[in-house]
Amino acid sequence: MSSAQQRLSQVSSHFTSGGKKGVAAITEKHPDDIVVTCALRTALTKGGKGGFKDTAAADLLAGVFKGVIDRSGIDPKVVEDVAVGSVLAPGGGATEFRAAALVAGFPESTAVKSLNRQCSSGLQAIVDIANAIKSGMIEVGIGAGVESMSSQYGPGAVTEFSELLESHPESANCKVPMGVLSEQMAKDRNVSRAVQDAFAASSYQKAVKAQKAGLFNEEIVPLQVKWTDPKTGEEKTITVKADDGIRDGITAESLGKIRPAFAKDGSIHAGNASQISDGAAAVLLMKRSTAQRLGQKIIGKYVAASVVGVKPLLMGIGPWKAIPVALEKAGITKDEVDIYEINEAFASQCVWCVNELGLPQEKINPKGGAIAFGHPLGCTGARQISTLLTELKRTNKKVGVTSMCVGTGMGMAAVWVAE
């Protein structure tokens, strides 16, 4: 038997052990499962005016790292590697993120890297750590994501293209602004403004209900930060413990009154697109056998992930292509998933993906999404996991999927099991 055939046989046996298939197979417990023992995030706050407007990305990261150490009780010395997804940080954040890990309490023996796969950076960081554990490179690691859009978002986020890149039509499309892309996609795919506004209003309403019921409290680590009052100029010390972009009273009718942002006859506007925001999230991973040896409480299990490419001008359809691939790798069907956390970059793309995949609305972002509480670019992929695992546990459900579209035309998805 060739090595490729052996690997295929091993994968097949993993998902059909004891004759089990689908959910029965992925919920089985094995010593080499890649498990999550802690998943936390900061609150998400409004870019430029929210609670973290004066806080550097690395400081947010240090805060969530400390939260993971405290909540999990992990000995920092056993954490061998930390991967951090971030999109806008100068130099990729490599220097600052290493410093953040040290100030949070990790020793010099803990390695740190930064990475950028645009809006899926946080998820990619976590998958990188999971794969490093699976391959035997490390035993314990943290995948994280962070973004300070208050300090680093703006025209400089997209660099000028060379003549070589500009001369290729598909290449040149990689730098078309997201709002313009989504406006065109909404027209091409016939996603009406009324549908977008209804979806966006629902996101706000679900988030308001969840926040009032305290459903985000378990996943959020409060952070004490310095904040300058824009009216008085006075610097204060505040504790940020709740998402401050969530607004009550939003309806499809109220959203319908907002002027389009990218075209006079357009459908995309500030109320049906993700909020510019700041935040960080981190996920602690190891094998099940390691967690048991270290006395770590297991809250979830990583099953499989996918990454795909689509046309740059159709970047919003990424989840539609990525989710079926992840489900196939996990050996389950779309109907066996209890909750889908699909990033709401824009209502237009999210609602199109959901409808095209034939997913029930009640399974999509049950506590709201990025339209309601924000999308700190590099953070979102990690944030979704804390939101998902907390909600699966609360509702006594098992299987979840996280997914997002990715700038320049990609999509990513991952399958998770709650314990």
Side-chain angles (χ1 to χ4, degrees):
M1 184 183 288
S2 70
S3 59
Q5 288 173 323
Q6 286 178 332
R7 184 173 177 275
L8 186 62
S9 176
Q10 289 168 353
V11 171
S12 177
S13 66
H14 180 75
F15 288 120
T16 59
S17 55
K20 294 181 180 178
K21 295 182 180 180
V23 172
I26 66 170
T27 54
E28 262 196 350
K29 298 177 181 179
H30 303 273
D32 62 348
D33 287 338
I34 308 301
V35 300
V36 175
T37 64
C38 189
L40 291 178
R41 67 176 180 93
T42 66
L44 305 187
T45 67
K46 295 178 185 177
K49 51 188 174 182
F52 291 141
K53 72 179 180 68
D54 302 312
T55 304
D59 291 5
L60 294 174
L61 196 61
V64 84
F65 283 163
K66 288 177 182 176
V68 167
I69 293 171
D70 292 344
R71 178 77 65 89
S72 69
I74 194 76
D75 180 351
K77 293 177 183 176
V78 306
V79 178
E80 296 161 273
D81 198 12
V82 177
V84 183
S86 190
V87 179
L88 303 171
T95 302
E96 294 89 340
F97 299 164
R98 164 71 163 160
L102 292 168
V103 82
F106 292 106
E108 65 275 8
S109 58
T110 301
V112 180
K113 74 171 179 180
S114 65
L115 61 91
N116 179 0
R117 199 194 286 278
Q118 307 249 27
C119 303
S120 67
S121 297
L123 177 57
Q124 185 65 62
I126 291 159
V127 171
D128 279 7
I129 290 296
N131 288 337
I133 296 168
K134 190 177 292 187
S135 72
M137 183 178 177
I138 63 172
E139 280 195 274
V140 180
I142 289 175
V146 66
E147 211 72 64
S148 171
M149 297 182 79
S150 288
S151 59
Q152 291 153 350
Y153 184 67
V158 179
T159 56
E160 288 299 313
F161 275 19
S162 67
E163 185 179 341
L164 174 65
L165 302 187
E166 289 281 13
S167 66
H168 186 283
E170 209 63 288
S171 173
N173 286 338
C174 287
K175 73 169 190 177
V176 176
M178 295 285 183
V180 175
L181 288 178
S182 292
E183 190 67 76
Q184 192 58 49
M185 181 197 157
K187 290 178 181 176
D188 289 347
R189 300 299 165 110
N190 298 313
V191 185
S192 71
R193 170 154 181 175
V195 167
Q196 293 175 56
D197 287 350
F199 182 87
S202 174
S203 181
Y204 273 107
Q205 291 159 9
K206 288 185 288 186
V208 167
K209 185 177 178 181
Q211 189 175 61
K212 287 181 177 179
L215 303 188
F216 294 117
N217 296 350
E218 187 179 338
E219 66 188 73
I220 294 176
V221 54
L223 292 191
Q224 194 175 80
V225 298
K226 300 288 187 182
W227 184 80
T228 300
D229 190 321
K231 293 180 180 178
T232 65
E234 179 189 358
E235 185 180 79
K236 304 175 182 179
T237 297
I238 64 171
T239 299
V240 181
K241 58 184 180 180
D243 303 321
D244 64 19
I246 297 174
R247 288 178 289 166
D248 205 349
I250 300 293
T251 64
E253 291 72 28
S254 67
L255 293 177
K257 298 174 183 177
I258 302 175
R259 184 180 302 173
F262 304 101
K264 285 185 177 180
D265 63 341
S267 59
I268 312 288
H269 57 82
N272 63 20
S274 56
Q275 295 183 35
I276 293 169
S277 51
D278 308 321
V283 177
L284 178 61
L285 300 127
M286 63 197 73
K287 285 187 177 179
R288 184 180 299 279
S289 56
T290 305
Q292 291 169 341
R293 175 168 55 83
L294 296 176
Q296 286 282 298
K297 181 183 177 183
I298 297 170
I299 63 171
K301 168 181 166 181
Y302 164 76
V303 180
S306 66
V307 62
V308 302
V310 299
K311 283 184 174 296
L313 288 180
L314 292 175
M315 68 94 196
I317 70 173
W320 163 77
K321 188 172 181 182
I323 288 172
V325 177
L327 294 177
E328 184 178 7
K329 289 179 184 295
I332 60 174
T333 69
K334 65 180 183 181
D335 297 327
E336 292 177 297
V337 177
D338 296 307
I339 294 175
Y340 288 88
E341 282 288 332
I342 303 177
N343 188 42
E344 299 168 357
F346 297 89
S348 57
Q349 58 81 211
C350 192
V351 75
W352 183 88
C353 290
V354 169
N355 290 341
E356 201 69 14
L357 288 167
L359 306 178
Q361 289 290 338
E362 62 270 17
K363 289 187 176 183
I364 311 301
N365 305 341
K367 294 191 286 191
I371 289 171
F373 46 71
H375 172 30
L377 306 175
C379 166
T380 290
R383 189 279 303 167
Q384 287 180 319
I385 296 162
S386 62
T387 302
L388 173 69
L389 292 179
T390 303
E391 185 65 6
L392 285 170
K393 173 189 169 186
R394 185 186 75 84
T395 55
N396 199 29
K397 293 174 181 174
K398 278 292 180 185
V399 182
V401 165
T402 59
S403 184
M404 66 286 294
C405 61
V406 182
T408 71
M410 291 178 279
M412 196 166 181
V415 178
W416 307 87
V417 171
E419 294 196 15

